[in-house]
Amino acid sequence: MVLLFFLFAFYFSSAQILKRQIPDKLVVLTFDDAPVSQYSIVAPLLKKYGFKATFFVCEFPPNFRDNSKYMNWTQIKKLDKMGFEIGNHTQSHKHVNKLSKENFIQQLQYIENKCDSLKIKKPLSFAYPGYDYSLNAIATLQQQGYILARAGGSRSYNPLEDHPFLIPSWAINATNKDQIIAALQEAKNRKIVVLTIHGVPDIEHPWVNTPPDLFKEFLNYLSKNNYKVIAIKDLNKYIDFPKAAKTIAIDTSKKYKN
């Protein structure tokens, strides 16, 4: 009888959080920091394969205005016009666990105002710079109208267990091809694989560099193996994020940093 009660509670909770069945081989592509290669190399390749993605943008100091390293806002607007999601990564890549609430809101609103001035939809998705989060930051994001936030952790996302403001992801770099291919096998049984990618290549931050040929390999693998590749906002088709935020407890014992 007790077992039946817990099974009923589990399935009722699942029905409340999940809007529809999550298909196997569901992958989310996210790109951080706005290096110019995301515009010149990444976006054309994604369009070629028909893949969606989210670009979490910031004005990375100190060289944001160097257009040989970072996208300008005209290019970010073009990504939006191409159908990609623009997410918020703070104004200047600030680690939110070190910010006051007031400063965090200022960092968020700078990107929001830039988007508004260019008629880009207000970001509802956020990515933690350096994967650092805090409970206060999560509360602030909710108060500011965000529906989800991506962290790290090198594990798959279970929408029935992971809080929507702590969505885990794997980070791609030049040396972990085998790890990422293995990770992609976890996209089944309601689990979703979220990938974090920086520059392709990343000139200023070589430790998160993804060589273009390796990136093409990943895209070809996803295409040949019939993965469904979406932006992080598209998870809203499958998951009731407000319900999940109320239902799922924040588990700080889990790993959220790569």
Side-chain angles (χ1 to χ4, degrees):
M1 190 69 177
V2 174
L3 177 61
L4 286 174
F5 172 80
F6 281 110
L7 286 173
F8 175 80
F10 174 78
Y11 284 111
F12 179 76
S13 175
S14 299
Q16 292 290 302
I17 292 172
L18 299 183
K19 296 178 178 179
R20 64 176 74 176
Q21 183 177 350
I22 294 173
D24 290 347
K25 296 189 173 183
L26 186 63
V27 171
V28 176
L29 292 184
T30 66
F31 296 84
D32 286 11
D33 300 351
V36 70
S37 59
Q38 292 178 2
Y39 173 77
S40 59
I41 294 174
V42 169
L45 284 170
L46 293 177
K47 295 298 287 185
K48 175 184 174 181
Y49 281 90
F51 292 163
K52 296 181 180 179
T54 301
F55 292 86
F56 287 110
V57 300
C58 62
E59 295 188 356
F60 209 107
N63 295 319
F64 170 73
R65 300 196 183 281
D66 183 343
N67 286 341
S68 69
K69 295 180 178 178
Y70 293 99
M71 288 189 283
N72 57 44
W73 277 96
T74 298
Q75 292 167 325
I76 293 170
K77 169 62 178 176
K78 288 181 180 178
L79 291 181
D80 172 70
K81 292 188 74 173
M82 292 170 74
F84 298 114
E85 179 187 10
I86 305 302
N88 199 326
H89 203 38
T90 73
Q91 175 186 354
S92 52
H93 204 267
K94 293 291 187 182
H95 291 225
V96 301
N97 58 326
K98 299 178 181 177
L99 295 175
S100 67
K101 179 178 180 177
E102 180 183 39
N103 287 339
F104 184 29
I105 291 173
Q106 289 173 349
Q107 288 275 326
L108 291 171
Q109 289 181 339
Y110 180 88
I111 297 296
E112 293 167 8
N113 291 338
K114 279 285 190 180
C115 287
D116 183 63
S117 69
L118 293 167
K119 294 182 170 54
I120 298 171
K121 289 182 181 177
K122 179 190 173 183
L124 297 178
S125 306
F126 180 78
Y128 299 101
Y131 310 110
D132 286 327
Y133 74 97
S134 71
L135 297 180
N136 287 336
I138 291 172
T140 300
L141 287 167
Q142 291 177 297
Q143 292 163 10
Q144 295 301 114
Y146 288 80
I147 63 169
L148 61 87
R150 196 219 66 213
S154 298
R155 57 188 179 81
S156 55
Y157 168 43
N158 185 336
L160 299 180
E161 296 180 2
D162 292 302
H163 194 277
F165 284 84
L166 286 171
I167 294 177
S169 71
W170 273 278
I172 292 177
N173 61 51
T175 65
N176 67 348
K177 174 183 173 181
D178 291 344
Q179 181 192 30
I180 298 303
I181 295 298
L184 291 171
Q185 312 314 307
E186 296 189 23
K188 59 186 177 182
N189 300 326
R190 289 194 298 237
K191 291 185 178 180
I192 301 160
V193 171
V194 182
L195 298 178
T196 297
I197 308 162
H198 295 80
V200 184
D202 200 304
I203 297 169
E204 200 152 46
H205 308 105
W207 55 92
V208 291
N209 173 61
T210 300
D213 286 345
L214 178 59
F215 182 65
K216 292 174 187 176
E217 268 192 70
F218 283 128
L219 296 186
N220 192 48
Y221 180 88
L222 292 168
S223 178
K224 283 191 171 182
N225 289 279
N226 301 309
Y227 282 83
K228 183 177 180 63
V229 182
I230 63 173
I232 203 165
K233 71 172 183 179
D234 297 325
L235 290 175
N236 191 50
K237 299 174 184 176
Y238 303 94
I239 302 161
D240 186 330
F241 284 114
K243 178 68 70 174
K246 292 178 181 178
T247 305
I248 300 171
I250 296 173
D251 186 352
T252 57
S253 69
K254 290 183 177 180
K255 182 184 176 187
Y256 292 106
K257 191 174 177 72
N258 286 328

